[in-house]
Amino acid sequence: MISLLFAFPIRAQQTTIRAQDSITELEAVTVSTGSPRNRIMQSAYSRQVIEGIWVEENLAGSLMQSLESLPGIQAASIGAGQSRPAIRGLGFNRMIVAEDGVKHAGQPWGEEHGLEIDQFAIGDVEISKGAGALRYGSDAIGGVINVRHESMPLRRFEGTTNLMIKSVNESVGVAAQVAGRAGRFWYRAKMTLIDYADAGVLADSIQYYSYYIKLHERRLRNTAGKEQDAGLAVGYAGDKLRTTFRIANVYTKNGFFANAHGLEVRLSKIDYDRSRRDIDLPYHAVNHIKISNHTEWQSERWRVELRAACQYNKRDEYAEPVSHGYMPTPPNTLERQFQKQTCNIGAEATFLWSAQHVVHVGLEAEYQQNRSAGWDFIIPDFRTTTTGLYVQDRLSLSEDLALTAGVRVDRITTGIDPYYDWYRTPVAGGDSLFLMRAAPLQRLFTCLTGSAGINYRTGLWVLKANVGKSFRAPIPKELGADGINYSIFRYEKGAAWLSPEESYQLDAGVYWGNERVEVLAESYWNYFPNYIYLNPTAEYREGLQLYTHTQSRVFRWGFEATVDWRLSDNIHAALTGEYVYSTQLSGEKTGYSLPFSPPAVATLLLKYQPHTTWTGPDGFIALHCKVVGNQYAIVPPEKPTDGYQTLALSAGRSFLWGSHRLRLMLRCDNLLNTAYFDHTNYYRLMDIPEPGRNISFLVGWQF
Amino acid sequence: MRKRIVLYILTALVATNCSCDEGKDMDSPVIMMNDSRAFPPNCATLYRGEQFEFRAVFTDNRALGNYNIEIHQNFDHHSHSTGAEECPVDSVKTPHNPFVYNQSFAILGSPTYYEAVAGIAIPAEIDTGDYHFMVRLTDRAGWQQLAAVSVKIADRN
């Protein structure tokens, strides 16, 4: 326990540095046992910490798919082993995934781009919904999913090995780690290997537009993939100074459904059906390497945190070369390549001004450059420099009333290089040209954002409210694109004049809880004066439908609600619900929703933990019911999606022998083998249903 | 009291949701290529050095947008038509001077019914063989419909 207290304050970001804070932070981490009222009191916006063990019990094909059952969190799956996140329906560049407080720098703008984070290499996950702009700056409009790593191990030498198998895509994986300490120094090394086959779906064939595609053995042709990750952390943990150096590499390779890549139906001479474990064209191979340092120095009244990280994201996208329009058949299979290098450095000082005031001051700087290659053009090469400065004060008027207010200023410069086609296009007068697809551009964005909130506790109630402004600088694709997006077969045109997207949001939450029942309801009202929207027009450009980036006024509101009820010492029930409504208030699509709006979802969890000798210390069986509503609020080119219900069953227990612990976990998703569509998933546009019944098994050995 | 206010706000918002549905177009336009007047039908043969007339009927519940015709070679058999019928194909070959046609057409006046007619000349010197004839159609709201037929370009004699 002492070591736990020792380890967790390092992660504290928004809390005070008084002695009891280690305890409140610890309570926040161990959600099930701490006082939830204290946790709710800690932040004026929606903030939640998910333990690593929770992720294990809800383990799916990728990190976001595992977290999806949390209210307000959505995963847009790209097959069974990849996904990209969304918070309250805002995904892509409207939310941030961070590791230990450092923004993950991948290519989140792509519909088919999964998140490059190893779900076995995490300590816990901190989720902030609808806020985070103050700490993270641009892009944190929807919220922040901050993956936090474990720090100092508790023992001289320890380790874990997890083996898992999954039936729906015949996934086999192993995740192992060893850790140790010598005095104040420690290390932790991790490795994860996963290999999966083509996913099974509940359909013999797919009807796409009026094309009819037969499936071999009810498998989504060429959706196999693999993941190979490794990481090493070394650290020093003294009384006042703690520092961690970390290097991690995530490599994924995943195939895409062969017959509808790029929203065009394709036949190929590749014999996809000869094996379901091979990965043929089209496929993506992504390597993400991250080197970081996190240092914290703490004294009586001060805490200073330094974060520095460099990331290199290399994404290779391969497809069979096909001629289109005036583009001749390309000479190779490299459709697109992106190489993004990002370095950032951040410093945050927390100062205990008086017994009532805690002040945070932070400074951040980031440099990013991106280079593209391949025969397809989607984003121009660019360089972005960001600097941000923020200050926040938390005023505790009493034990039961706290006010928080902060402001942040950001300065972002984006420089875009010109791009010319590699082939000639005939122009008037019998001549032909290498057309310019992106014009050189230099933009400067400055943004002032802020937030203010209140937490009030009375009796069994906690009330909280937060009002904030966040922003997002337009990305180079939105500013500079002027060409065909082959992977979705449309012509995308950027707009160099776009202003930074701004979002005003009011969050309000109510909590009530006693020993047995806890209720948390959180609602939000969100207004964008200039939401950047990729508008499908009626026009054609080079033979494809023209989509233009424009800005429109958008209003959104929604809520999440959770009821936790401990019926007895053995039985726990949890009911959750989430709903998002969005509407465009101006522009060509006035009255329409926003793309990929998630449907309403309600879930019920019933968990039985008998606490008998034969079930061990933590044996459980749980039933998960999920009811998803219709999603008919759509925009072109989406399709209305009917609601569905699924059931899942999970059971697990541990066996203890001395310092060894063996953990078994069995889970069956989609128990009734229901055929359904998930509105926000990548394959939805191609009318491809979701996987059928999936049985997964996990064996973990800890020593 | 607080809960009551929240309830009022929720009710008001739900009420406004339903009222704005009326103005939205949620339907894609329709391309009628199976009509007997439509040309070319699936598996048709076109002749190089000649002109033919594309004909189809387009409809939409609100307002038609624009349409595009694209003809590209299918010498590698990379795709197939939206028609149920599979057409006989020549053996796979390498393109030398394939016919590339890509032309967009405006539909004036945003009608709900439109009989499209477009003359398309096939140059005499292009490669003969299997081609795709694709029609894309939008409506004013930005919905799109596709239709594709397989055609053969040959010499007339």
Side-chain angles (χ1 to χ4, degrees), chain A residues 73-377:
Chain A
I73 304 298
Q74 295 94 29
S77 297
I78 306 144
Q82 291 262 311
S83 61
R84 59 179 177 75
I87 298 178
R88 293 171 166 174
L90 296 180
F92 300 104
N93 290 69
R94 288 190 184 88
M95 60 155 295
I96 286 173
V97 175
E99 271 190 282
D100 286 328
V102 174
K103 216 184 261 193
H104 180 77
Q107 303 280 358
W109 50 267
E111 275 101 351
E112 74 283 38
H113 294 173
L115 177 67
E116 308 93 340
I117 285 185
D118 177 7
Q119 65 171 332
F120 291 98
I122 59 174
D124 59 28
V125 184
E126 178 193 32
I127 295 170
S128 311
K129 286 181 278 196
L134 209 60
R135 166 68 189 79
Y136 290 91
S138 179
D139 297 7
I141 290 174
V144 181
I145 294 175
N146 185 22
V147 173
R148 304 189 293 193
H149 294 280
E150 293 159 285
S151 53
M152 193 171 199
L154 305 183
R155 293 201 295 257
R156 274 187 69 77
F157 181 72
E158 60 182 45
T160 319
T161 307
N162 285 307
L163 288 166
M164 59 272 173
I165 49 171
K166 227 170 90 170
S167 69
V168 74
N169 59 354
E170 291 165 25
S171 174
V172 183
V174 55
Q177 67 158 296
V178 288
R181 63 193 280 186
R184 293 170 177 274
F185 292 91
W186 59 273
Y187 69 92
R188 195 182 287 277
K190 304 184 180 200
M191 196 186 68
T192 301
L193 299 170
I194 300 169
D195 189 286
Y196 52 92
D198 296 348
V201 288
L202 295 171
D204 296 309
S205 66
I206 284 160
Q207 276 234 294
Y208 176 56
Y209 278 99
S210 37
Y211 296 94
Y212 177 72
I213 303 160
K214 276 192 130 157
L215 296 182
H216 181 67
E217 294 175 349
R218 298 189 138 203
R219 296 254 166 194
L220 268 191
R221 205 163 268 135
N222 202 43
T223 53
K226 58 182 161 193
E227 183 173 338
Q228 292 157 1
D229 314 322
L232 173 70
V234 290
Y236 168 84
D239 292 333
K240 290 195 161 176
L241 181 77
R242 292 169 199 134
T243 187
T244 308
F245 289 90
R246 196 180 299 277
I247 177 164
N249 194 70
V250 172
Y251 172 80
T252 60
K253 179 178 173 182
N254 66 301
F256 284 85
F257 181 53
N259 301 122
H261 182 62
L263 293 185
E264 187 202 45
V265 174
R266 295 184 43 75
L267 293 183
S268 169
K269 283 187 292 297
I270 297 172
D271 180 13
Y272 290 108
D273 299 334
R274 80 176 169 256
S275 157
R276 37 189 205 240
R277 294 209 89 88
D278 62 350
I279 306 167
D280 286 308
L281 297 169
Y283 71 88
H284 290 186
V286 188
N287 197 80
H288 195 105
I289 185 162
K290 201 176 275 190
I291 302 168
S292 63
N293 172 262
H294 185 194
T295 300
E296 190 191 74
W297 177 84
Q298 192 165 334
S299 76
E300 280 281 295
R301 295 171 77 91
W302 284 89
R303 186 173 69 228
V304 179
E305 250 184 298
L306 287 173
R307 292 187 201 89
C310 280
Q311 303 177 55
Y312 175 47
N313 183 289
K314 184 167 181 281
R315 170 176 283 275
D316 295 315
E317 308 188 354
Y318 297 94
E320 277 186 277
V322 189
S323 63
H324 176 87
Y326 296 107
M327 181 178 81
T329 305
N332 55 44
T333 56
L334 186 65
E335 186 181 32
R336 298 164 171 178
Q337 184 190 68
F338 306 105
Q339 294 184 69
K340 185 187 256 188
Q341 283 120 324
T342 308
C343 279
N344 46 23
I345 183 156
E348 187 182 73
T350 305
F351 177 57
L352 181 63
W353 191 282
S354 67
Q356 291 183 321
H357 283 275
V358 181
V359 179
H360 299 264
V361 180
L363 182 65
E364 262 198 312
E366 182 181 280
Y367 175 77
Q368 188 171 86
Q369 69 170 32
N370 195 65
R371 278 174 298 141
S372 311
W375 41 265
D376 182 13
F377 167 73

Side-chain angles (χ1 to χ4, degrees), chain A residues 490-627:
Chain A
R490 62 192 185 200
Y491 192 102
E492 293 182 8
K493 186 149 175 41
W497 49 265
L498 294 175
S499 57
E501 189 175 274
E502 293 177 343
S503 158
Y504 298 87
Q505 183 158 320
L506 170 68
D507 276 272
V510 185
Y511 169 88
W512 181 89
N514 64 18
E515 296 298 304
R516 291 211 172 273
V517 183
E518 282 176 52
V519 182
L520 176 66
E522 293 175 308
S523 189
Y524 54 96
W525 293 265
N526 179 205
Y527 174 71
F528 288 86
N530 55 357
Y531 186 97
I532 300 174
Y533 174 65
L534 185 57
N535 180 38
T537 71
E539 310 302 315
Y540 281 98
R541 190 70 61 88
E542 291 175 31
L544 292 171
Q545 192 181 1
L546 174 68
Y547 281 60
T548 52
H549 286 281
T550 71
Q551 292 191 298
S552 57
R553 291 188 294 121
V554 164
F555 173 72
R556 302 172 354 105
W557 80 271
F559 68 87
E560 292 101 37
T562 311
V563 180
D564 260 295
W565 188 10
R566 273 174 286 278
L567 291 134
S568 73
D569 285 349
N570 301 334
I571 302 173
H572 172 215
L575 183 69
T576 71
E578 64 179 90
Y579 175 75
V580 188
Y581 167 80
S582 22
T583 183
Q584 301 192 42
L585 302 173
S586 69
E588 272 186 45
K589 298 290 183 288
T590 302
Y592 283 87
S593 181
L594 289 175
F596 302 110
S597 291
V601 180
T603 67
L604 173 68
L605 167 76
L606 285 171
K607 192 173 175 180
Y608 177 56
Q609 245 178 317
H611 299 299
T612 58
T613 41
W614 62 272
T615 55
D618 60 351
F620 74 92
I621 181 160
L623 178 73
H624 314 248
C625 312
K626 187 177 180 186
V627 180

Side-chain angles (χ1 to χ4, degrees), chain A residues 209-211 265-267 325 510 525 536 538 540 542-545 557 579 581 589 591-592 632 634 636 638, chain B residues 2 10 13 17 24-26 66 68 78-82 100 102 104 136-139 141-145 148:
Chain A
Y209 278 99
S210 37
Y211 296 94
V265 174
R266 295 184 43 75
L267 293 183
V510 185
W525 293 265
Y540 281 98
E542 291 175 31
L544 292 171
Q545 192 181 1
W557 80 271
Y579 175 75
Y581 167 80
K589 298 290 183 288
Y592 283 87
Y632 297 156
I634 54 165
E638 292 175 8
Chain B
R2 184 196 154 82
L10 294 187
L13 285 165
N17 288 355
K24 287 182 289 179
D25 177 6
M26 302 305 260
N66 298 279
N68 172 273
H78 70 260
S79 183
H80 59 110
S81 69
T82 51
V100 177
N102 195 338
S104 300
R136 296 181 169 91
L137 172 69
T138 56
D139 67 13
W143 296 102
Q144 180 176 241
Q145 189 57 264

Side-chain angles (χ1 to χ4, degrees), chain B residues 140-155:
Chain B
R140 284 280 137 214
W143 296 102
Q144 180 176 241
Q145 189 57 264
L146 307 186
V149 293
S150 294
V151 296
K152 221 176 262 298
I153 295 183
D155 283 314

